[in-house]
DNA sequence: TAAGATTTGTTCGTATGTATC
DNA sequence: GGATACATACGAACAAATCTT
């Protein structure tokens, strides 16, 4: 056995090492979003590398959502707070190749969303509740065809994503928002033989009306129960539909 | 008001547009991990751009974990399945600037982990159970000082991460594994006045022993209950400890 | 072992675009 | 509008890694 001259993992390229070093700076110096990073010329000098190499390093950090760059005087690279959208997109990349079932997502939603609304009860501003009600307007009437139904489905996912944004628990909020995003991106076709089911639609809508009521009055237990019932209903609805067809990368 | 010549969002750079186009290819052509992307020379020709520009585009995709490149004959860029580790790291970037409380994480763990083990009961191979037991060996004895206790804490998080890997529900597994990762990276200092609590340690250990037993025998309900108790215990333990101190980026 | 072929990795010099003053 | 300070992009050359013979 020779030693590991041919290591299993390839030696990191210079741009990768530069990006790693810059990350260390960020942690060590306790830099905050908006803080300025050295400009290209300075980085070229401190790392003693060519412009192209430095630029590739910055692209790495940019892809991770950690820096943004601006041209012009006073421009340069700035530390950025990774946006929720970008984090969603990057995580979507991971799940793109995992064949996850819709039911897996609903199983997790069933666990998380009731707790989300329980924590929200009595804590929403009137503005936030108005936003929720505005989204509900998009499915105030039962769908008449499958295309309309798809749109309503997307709108109802927006309702849940909005709730997630309002959560004080960042982890809970992100997970739920991410699942809404994934479900929005999935194109789901209803089975041809399953006709629009009016009673079920009405039941789902009543759930949300009851939910709003409980959120307003601050009845956490009631909110939890209603959301649980709603999630079970939604899971059942999805069960009656056909396979997920189009997956796509988010534009990021 | 003039029209939006000065659009809110800056025009995307060429590398960004190239990366976006390549992503579209991947979706449209239904490419799978391991598939080959055009080499630099071909990309330079098809996009009619300079080598540096193309390379920056590939760095963007590389940062997202979507491609890996190899030098030499037969080398080039290949579509890669974003690894769990990389997805964890990228998501960690997002939470790095969010000030999330440890209790938020435990609130979510309390919801998810009982369901995880319920789904695992009776479905683990003997090998998998052995791996779990091997990890448990790392805290078979009560800690004698705080450093030792920290190591045991990390080991116990490995236990949970391992369980997450075994889950058939990819979403559930990822979320739980991610939270373990976050907690592992947090450096938590025990309050000086809170001495190692032997009865509590013993109780925690008994939980895991009971859990293994339930997983072996396929008793889903029992597994769920034990994990719930265990999570409540863990949450209580963390409550008795001091603020999170060091956060860091994962090396990715 | 060694040489040659292939492909990415890195450098340097120059020119262009863009935002601020 | 002109000067300034910055990122962005191009092109040619050379270096390094890796596979084949």
């Amino acid at each position: 056995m020779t030693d590991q001259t041919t290591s299993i993992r390839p030696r990191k390229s210079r741009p990768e090492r530069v990006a790693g070093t810059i990350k260390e700076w960020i942690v060590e110096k306790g830099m905050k979003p908006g803080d300025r990073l050295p400009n290209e010329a300075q980085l070229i000098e401190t790392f003693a590398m060519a412009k192209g190499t430095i630029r590739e390093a910055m692209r790495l950090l940019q892809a991770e959502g950690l820096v943004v760059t601006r041209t012009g005087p006073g421009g340069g690279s700035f530390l950025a707070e990774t946006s929720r959208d970008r984090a969603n997109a990057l995580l979507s990349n991971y799940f793109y190749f995992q064949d996850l079932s819709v039911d897996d997502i609903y199983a997790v939603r069933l666990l998380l969303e009731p707790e989300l609304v329980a924590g929200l009860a009595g804590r929403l501003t009137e503005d936030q509740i108005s936003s929720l009600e505005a989204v509900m307007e998009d499915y105030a009437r039962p769908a008449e065809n499958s295309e309309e139904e798809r749109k309503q489905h997307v709108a109802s996912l927006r309702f849940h994503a909005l709730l997630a944004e309002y959560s004080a628990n960042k982890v809970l909020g992100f997970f739920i928002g991410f699942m809404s995003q994934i479900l929005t991106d999935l194109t789901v076709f209803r089975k041809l033989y399953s006709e629009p089911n009016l009673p079920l639609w009405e039941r789902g809508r009543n759930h949300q009306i009851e939910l709003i009521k409980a959120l307003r009055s601050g009845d956490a237990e009631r909110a939890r129960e209603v959301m649980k019932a709603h999630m079970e209903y939604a899971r059942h609805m999805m069960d009656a539909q056909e396979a997920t067809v189009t997956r796509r990368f988010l534009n990021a």
Side-chain angles (χ1 to χ4, degrees), chain A:
Chain A
M1 293 297 119
T2 84
D3 71 343
Q4 295 206 349
T5 45
T6 36
S7 164
I8 301 96
R9 39 205 321 162
R11 260 184 39 234
K12 281 189 181 168
S13 65
R14 285 187 225 208
E16 282 172 312
R17 292 200 306 266
V18 170
T21 302
I22 292 176
K23 277 191 183 182
E24 285 170 16
W25 289 354
I26 294 170
V27 174
E28 285 166 12
K29 299 183 181 176
M31 295 178 71
K32 302 280 180 219
D35 285 357
R36 233 195 133 126
L37 271 63
N39 66 25
E40 275 189 1
Q42 292 169 315
L43 291 173
I44 289 167
E45 193 180 353
T46 51
F47 285 102
M49 289 174 190
K51 187 156 41 192
T53 307
I54 299 297
R55 287 183 59 79
E56 287 179 32
M58 298 312 283
R59 290 292 184 201
L60 286 169
L61 297 174
Q62 184 194 326
E64 296 184 24
L66 286 174
V67 307
V68 293
T69 63
R70 284 199 298 272
T71 60
S77 293
F78 298 85
L79 190 52
E81 180 167 348
T82 311
S83 72
R84 223 189 352 259
D85 280 354
R86 182 149 212 106
N88 269 324
L90 293 171
L91 193 52
S92 293
N93 285 350
Y94 170 69
F95 282 107
Y96 180 80
F97 293 116
Q98 310 285 333
D99 47 323
L100 45 82
S101 77
V102 173
D103 196 63
D104 284 347
I105 299 177
Y106 274 87
V108 179
R109 293 185 80 193
L110 184 53
L111 296 172
L112 296 186
E113 302 228 12
E115 204 61 24
L116 168 73
V117 290
L120 252 37
R123 292 167 183 266
L124 294 179
T125 66
E126 198 49 46
D127 272 3
Q128 291 174 323
I129 291 181
S130 296
S131 299
L132 290 167
E133 286 173 332
V135 173
M136 282 180 66
E137 275 306 306
D138 291 343
Y139 41 95
R141 247 166 282 279
E144 292 182 347
N145 54 54
S146 66
E147 173 56 19
E148 209 173 318
E149 186 161 335
R150 200 192 66 80
K151 282 185 185 166
Q152 292 197 352
H153 182 225
V154 169
S156 81
L157 286 168
R158 259 189 55 73
F159 181 87
H160 291 265
L162 215 49
L163 282 173
E165 278 184 37
Y166 298 152
S167 176
N169 185 332
K170 295 276 176 55
V171 182
L172 185 61
F174 179 83
F175 285 174
I176 292 174
F178 175 70
M179 289 188 289
S180 298
Q181 179 71 66
I182 287 272
L183 290 172
T184 300
D185 290 340
L186 293 176
T187 307
V188 180
F189 292 107
R190 170 175 277 281
K191 280 180 180 168
L192 294 177
Y193 53 81
S194 89
E195 295 151 18
N197 191 323
L198 202 61
L200 276 182
W201 170 86
E202 197 167 2
R203 191 172 143 208
R205 179 159 170 80
N206 284 340
H207 280 152
Q208 299 209 346
I209 293 172
E210 283 300 307
L211 177 60
I212 294 281
K213 205 184 294 179
L215 288 174
R216 256 214 186 85
S217 68
D219 187 343
E221 271 318 308
R222 175 79 184 135
R224 194 199 311 269
E225 277 170 29
V226 171
M227 181 58 101
K228 184 155 178 280
H230 184 60
M231 278 291 109
E232 279 162 353
Y233 151 76
R235 189 180 189 177
H236 174 264
M237 284 293 283
M238 294 305 291
D239 216 36
Q241 297 188 330
E242 259 308 352
T244 75
V245 175
T246 307
R247 292 179 301 176
R248 64 177 182 88
F249 290 110
L250 295 181
N251 27 347

